[in-house]
Amino acid sequence: MTFQIIMGPIVGGVIGYFTNWLAIKMLFRPHKAKYILGMHVPFTPGIIPKEKQRIAESVGKAISENLMNEEVLQRTLLSDEIVERIDGSIQRFFTGMQQSDDTLRQFLGRYLSEADIDQMAGSVKADIVSQVSTHLLTAHLGNEIAHVAVGHVLEKMKLSENLVVDDVKINEQSGVGDFFKKGIDMLFSRQTKKVFADIVSALATPVEQLLAKNIDEMMESRAPEMTAHLIDKQTDLLLDRKMSDLLNGKEEQLDRLRTSLLQLYREMVTKRLPRMLETLNISRMIANRIDEMDMNEAEHIILDVMDKELKWLVWLGALLGFCIGFANALVLV
């Protein structure tokens, strides 16, 4: 009688432990269907390998709809903590660049190849040359330059005439003979300059037109070449300047740039996130990853995550078996 009371719970516990252990193993194994004499062995493959595709789709859908949906991701990405981290990263980047001895070319070389840098610089040069040349040709600079040049000559003639008068006044204390001599010189000089000024004034308009025509012709034939030479030189100088020289003293501009980058980030999360999620298709991505996963790998991951819980489940089966065996022994007694 005592033997039955003792053995009943022990046997029940062993059976409960074994059945739960076997049930957990049968979730994963065997990984493939088994056949004996051409007949399919029941319960093969295991439940998870058999329903792997359906489980993958269900997990992917559950995660995309509940854990990584638009609302959750937007709230996370726009949280104060994330925004502050991005802001701090931008500030540290700008500070590092202000203290860097790298040139602009070396800085770009961290992210682009030398060929890419040259191609980018060439493209920018070509665009600038094209725009500047077009502007120069359509701005009628010949008329403006000719008008300024002729006006400058006329102004110089007027100033030169005034200088003669001033020179005579300064020497008014000289002798009478000198006074008359200088007066004659002054008269002759003023008359000459007046005549010359009248001639220049009469020729101003045709000269200005001729000069404007020649300048326009020169600009039409030489503007692209002159602009390209200037842009090439300035671009090379810019690429060879140190980042610290380019950025030091530009704190206000960098602060505005930092604010603009943060605003751009917020707008991207707010306006572009739905399209990004649609493009990524998180549900399908997760489902494909799970479906492609080797069953040994999947089993290892699941057991690694739930090892403690599954062990408790096995021992719970042993406890239940022990209790049932003990109760059965008491009934039989």
Side-chain angles (χ1 to χ4, degrees):
M1 176 116 16
T2 303
F3 178 77
Q4 291 179 349
I5 294 176
I6 294 175
M7 288 303 298
I10 293 176
V11 172
V14 171
I15 293 174
Y17 181 94
F18 177 75
T19 53
N20 278 20
W21 174 85
L22 182 61
I24 292 173
K25 287 296 180 182
M26 289 179 66
L27 288 174
F28 305 97
R29 296 178 182 273
H31 294 166
K32 297 181 180 180
K34 301 296 182 181
Y35 295 88
I36 298 178
L37 299 178
M39 299 179 62
H40 176 251
V41 178
F43 306 111
T44 62
I47 295 175
I48 291 180
K50 183 179 181 181
E51 301 293 335
K52 183 180 177 183
Q53 184 175 359
R54 184 185 62 81
I55 293 173
E57 292 177 355
S58 298
V59 171
K61 183 178 180 180
I63 291 176
S64 65
E65 292 181 356
N66 299 286
L67 300 180
M68 295 185 67
N69 57 37
E70 179 183 341
E71 181 183 355
V72 172
L73 288 175
Q74 191 174 100
R75 185 170 61 248
T76 303
L77 293 174
L78 293 179
S79 65
D80 293 339
E81 181 181 358
I82 296 296
V83 173
E84 286 176 2
R85 287 185 180 181
I86 295 175
D87 188 19
S89 297
I90 295 174
Q91 288 181 341
R92 287 191 295 272
F93 176 77
F94 286 164
T95 301
M97 288 299 97
Q98 287 180 305
Q99 299 172 353
S100 174
D101 289 331
D102 289 346
T103 63
L104 177 58
R105 188 186 299 275
Q106 290 172 327
F107 169 74
L108 294 175
R110 298 179 184 177
Y111 311 99
L112 302 171
S113 67
E114 190 67 28
D116 290 335
I117 295 174
D118 292 338
Q119 182 179 3
M120 181 178 67
S123 177
V124 172
K125 291 176 186 178
D127 289 341
I128 295 176
V129 169
S130 176
Q131 294 180 23
V132 172
S133 300
T134 301
H135 179 73
L136 290 175
L137 293 175
T138 58
H140 304 293
L141 290 180
N143 292 333
E144 295 184 14
I145 295 173
H147 181 72
V148 171
V150 172
H152 182 71
V153 171
L154 293 175
E155 184 66 23
K156 284 292 185 180
M157 291 296 301
K158 183 178 179 181
L159 290 174
S160 177
E161 183 180 352
N162 291 336
L163 285 174
V164 173
V165 177
D166 292 340
D167 181 64
V168 172
K169 289 181 180 179
I170 291 173
N171 295 282
E172 281 181 349
Q173 304 302 322
S174 302
V176 176
D178 291 338
F179 176 77
F180 280 108
K181 182 177 180 299
K182 289 186 178 295
I184 293 172
D185 291 340
M186 177 192 72
L187 179 62
F188 179 76
S189 180
R190 290 184 65 182
Q191 274 302 110
T192 303
K193 288 187 178 293
K194 185 177 184 303
V195 172
F196 184 71
D198 291 340
I199 294 173
V200 172
S201 298
L203 294 175
T205 300
V207 168
E208 182 175 326
Q209 292 175 348
L210 180 61
L211 184 60
K213 179 182 178 181
N214 282 275
I215 292 175
D216 285 338
E217 291 177 353
M218 181 193 69
M219 293 297 295
E220 185 175 356
S221 61
R222 299 287 304 278
E225 177 186 348
M226 295 166 59
T227 306
H229 177 72
L230 178 62
I231 297 301
D232 280 342
K233 184 176 180 181
Q234 293 302 316
T235 302
D236 291 336
L237 289 175
L238 177 62
L239 288 173
D240 291 333
R241 289 193 64 183
K242 292 183 178 180
M243 292 298 297
S244 55
D245 294 337
L246 292 171
L247 298 180
N248 281 332
K250 305 292 192 303
E251 285 74 16
E252 184 177 349
Q253 292 88 331
L254 291 176
D255 188 60
R256 287 201 299 267
L257 177 59
R258 178 180 58 83
T259 302
S260 298
L261 290 174
L262 290 175
Q263 182 61 31
L264 177 62
Y265 169 75
R266 292 188 179 95
E267 289 182 1
M268 287 183 61
V269 172
T270 303
K271 298 179 180 179
R272 305 294 181 184
L273 184 60
R275 185 176 298 178
M276 291 171 62
L277 290 177
E278 182 179 349
T279 303
L280 286 174
N281 195 350
I282 294 177
S283 175
R284 175 50 51 191
M285 184 171 59
I286 294 175
N288 289 340
R289 179 66 187 96
I290 294 176
D291 194 43
E292 294 168 359
M293 193 178 296
D294 181 74
M295 275 311 305
N296 286 318
E297 183 183 0
E299 180 179 0
H300 175 75
I301 292 174
I302 295 173
L303 292 178
D304 189 51
V305 173
M306 301 186 63
D307 182 62
K308 184 177 180 180
E309 290 75 12
L310 292 176
K311 284 181 178 179
W312 276 109
L313 184 61
V314 171
W315 284 107
L316 179 62
L319 178 61
L320 291 176
F322 180 87
C323 294
I324 293 172
F326 183 73
N328 187 52
L330 291 178
V331 170
L332 293 176
V333 173

